[in-house]
Every structure is written in C-alpha cells, then in structure tokens.
Amino acid sequence: MSVEDVAGAIKRMEIRGAAEIARSAAGALRDEAGDFQGHSLEEMRHSLGLARDELLESRPTAISLWNGVQAVMKDAASAKSVDELRRSVMKNADDFIKRSKDAVDIIGHVGSRRLRDGDKVLTHCNSKAALGAIIQAHKDGKHLEVYATESRPWRQGLQTIKDLTAAGIKPTLIVDSAARWLMKDLDAVVVGADTICSNGAVINKIGTSQIALAAHEARVPFMVCAETFKFSPKTMYGELVEIEERDSGEVAKAGEVPPGTRILNPVFDATPPEYIDAIVTEIGVVPPSAAYEIIVRQLGQEFIFEANSKW
Ligand code: RI2
C-alpha cells in the first residue's frame, strides 16, 4: 500500500488500534524508501518528509503513530547517501514492527500473571495488548469470565467478541452504560492505551475514564496494557494530547435526529493516574507514576529532543 493509501485507511479507521496504525505507518515509510527511484539525497529526504507528515496527520491522538514514525526516521538527518538513507529507513521500520509485535507478546505473558483463575474481567473497545493478557491467561489454564463493552459509536466491542471467541473464550457483550451496573461483580478491568502522558494519565477510547471511575468506586483493580511506545515524550514539554473528534454521522445518521441537532463525537478521553492500579508494559508492570522515567529511559534522548524541537 502507498503512503496515501495507508494514511487514508487510518483516517477511515479501516486500519485501527494504536499499535496497528503505528506499524502500518512504519511499513508505508519502509516501502516509500524502498521504492524511491531518484538519485539525490535531498530529494529523498524531502519525499520521506512529506510521507511522514501525511501519515502523522491521519489521526491526531495516539502517540504510538508519532513514536513509530520517529523510530523509522531517526537516522534520516545523518544519512550520507540515498542508499544509506534507504537502508536505515527500511531497517528501522522492520525493527520497530518486530519490537512492537514482540512487546504485545510479552505484555500478554506479564498481564496474564495479574489475572487469577475464576476472575471476572471487563475490557473496553478493542485493544490487542489488553486482549493479549486476557487470552494468555486463558491459555495458561485460567478460567475467566470476560465481559466486553460495545464501545459506541464504532462498536469495536464486536471485534473484541470475535477475537475472544476465536481464542476459545465465551465472552459476554454489554452496552457501554452497563459498566457501572456490572462493576460490583467484577475482579479486574483490563484496557489498552493510545497515549500515556508523562504524569501517568492514560488516553484511551472514549468511556474508559467512566469505567475507571466506577472501578475505583468499587475497588476493582484497573489495569492498562500498553507498549512503551504508547508513552508520550511530547507531554513532557507540556503539550496537551489532542482528543480526536470524528464526524457526527458516526453517532447518528441523517434523519435520526431533528435537523440542526448538535452532536459531539470525541473519540478518546483521559483517565487520571489515581484510578490506574498498574500499567503492564514489555519492560514490566509499572505504576502510572513511572511514566516520566519510562519516557526518559526507554524512548531516549532522540525522541525527547525531537518532541521538544518543534516549538
Ligand atoms: P492496541 C484503539 O483506538 C482503542 O482505543 C484501543 O484501546 C487502543 O487503540 C489500543 O489498541 P482506535 O483505533 O494498540 O480503535 O492495544 O480508535 O491494539
């Protein structure tokens, strides 16, 4: 797929999930570099720069996309020839894609240990990292009762039901507004993340913060499963995470509401760190208060410099 095709598919949510959009963007940049026909280094840098910008503009909230693109392009400025630039972009993209897939695997194993035999678990939206932990716990022989929210308006919960069923789990689907009603019977909530801020707040699918609030009230552990490239170096410099608002037609079709009705369709929300018991990453289970440390240690100086240099 071309960069334009990938960016379009991300925008239309044909490619979705914070990790998947990052991997797809990395793959698109790799192909762009591989297919470059010119001989000038400047020209190649320029065309990769345009490709990077187009991919970054496709969806604004998930920092995984920015971190992924950054990982692929990290050697672009120092490359001395077209060949060197091509090789570095292709290698960095392959490395990022592999690392990100391995991370989901590790998170599955680590997250599984936090779930006990007989647990009743709720998940929200469709996070491969969160589902990785639940499915691994099932593979480890734990009998879980799993509940999935519908996740309006895109209804990613239906995909979650399919993923769980394919893994041999018989899940129960609930509407989003049933989460607090159900909470008293639950043992754990497991969700993914699109962005984790330097103060430990987690940006995830709209509704996550309501579920976290209900879990906090009922003292049900709330666990976030997220690769370290979901942590945001930009938030270290005070940038607020842009919450994507999508088309009103995703909430109600024309004719379903009186003309002129105002419809809001924010896609993500922020869960404060106080409501989060654990963040499961590929480098271990950490509290939200470790977010700053993870950004500095794991993403490193290059990412931090790049995040700060734009302003
Ligand atoms: P993984 C998704 O966003 C959901 O908010 C989900 O929790 C998050 O990405 C993380 O998903 P969307 O693309 O990376 O459905 O764990 O808007 O798969």
Side-chain angles (χ1 to χ4, degrees), residues 81-227:
S81 66
V82 165
D83 243 21
E84 196 183 326
L85 179 52
R86 180 182 290 121
R87 263 185 278 118
S88 80
V89 168
M90 293 178 80
K91 182 181 181 315
N92 291 344
D94 288 338
D95 287 352
F96 174 78
I97 292 167
K98 181 174 183 324
R99 261 202 341 263
S100 106
K101 287 185 175 162
D102 289 349
V104 177
D105 243 36
I106 298 168
I107 288 170
H109 287 281
V110 178
S112 160
R113 298 190 188 114
R114 307 277 300 192
L115 299 170
R116 295 159 308 177
D117 189 28
D119 272 357
K120 292 179 180 161
V121 181
L122 172 69
T123 189
H124 183 51
C125 197
N126 179 256
S127 154
K128 297 293 178 208
L131 289 180
I134 293 169
I135 290 170
Q136 189 56 48
H138 172 77
K139 284 185 187 157
D140 292 342
K142 295 171 192 173
H143 299 281
L144 303 180
E145 215 173 283
V146 184
Y147 295 83
T149 56
E150 182 189 8
S151 309
R152 281 272 295 153
W154 269 80
R155 308 184 83 201
Q156 289 97 327
L158 301 186
Q159 183 58 46
T160 292
I161 295 290
K162 281 185 200 154
D163 293 345
L164 290 167
T165 304
I169 298 172
K170 285 197 178 118
T172 304
L173 181 68
I174 60 165
V175 294
D176 299 330
S177 43
R180 183 167 178 266
W181 173 85
L182 182 69
M183 197 57 74
K184 60 185 183 317
D185 299 324
L186 296 177
D187 300 293
V189 177
V190 185
V191 299
D194 292 79
T195 293
I196 301 179
C197 308
S198 61
N199 70 348
V202 167
I203 313 295
N204 191 49
K205 184 57 51 194
I206 189 79
T208 302
S209 68
Q210 285 181 175
I211 295 172
L213 185 61
H216 186 70
E217 177 195 43
R219 296 175 182 241
V220 173
F222 186 90
M223 178 162 104
V224 176
C225 293
E227 305 86 330

Side-chain angles (χ1 to χ4, degrees), residues 1-12 14-15 21 23-36 47-48 50-52 54-56 58:
M1 270 167 107
S2 69
V3 165
E4 197 186 345
D5 289 345
V6 170
I10 293 174
K11 227 176 254 174
R12 295 188 298 275
E14 290 156 13
I15 298 174
I21 63 176
R23 283 193 291 265
S24 303
L29 286 170
R30 179 193 53 205
D31 294 350
E32 181 81 7
D35 294 346
F36 182 73
S47 91
L48 282 171
L50 292 178
R52 176 195 57 203
E54 186 168 358
L55 290 163
L56 288 179
S58 60

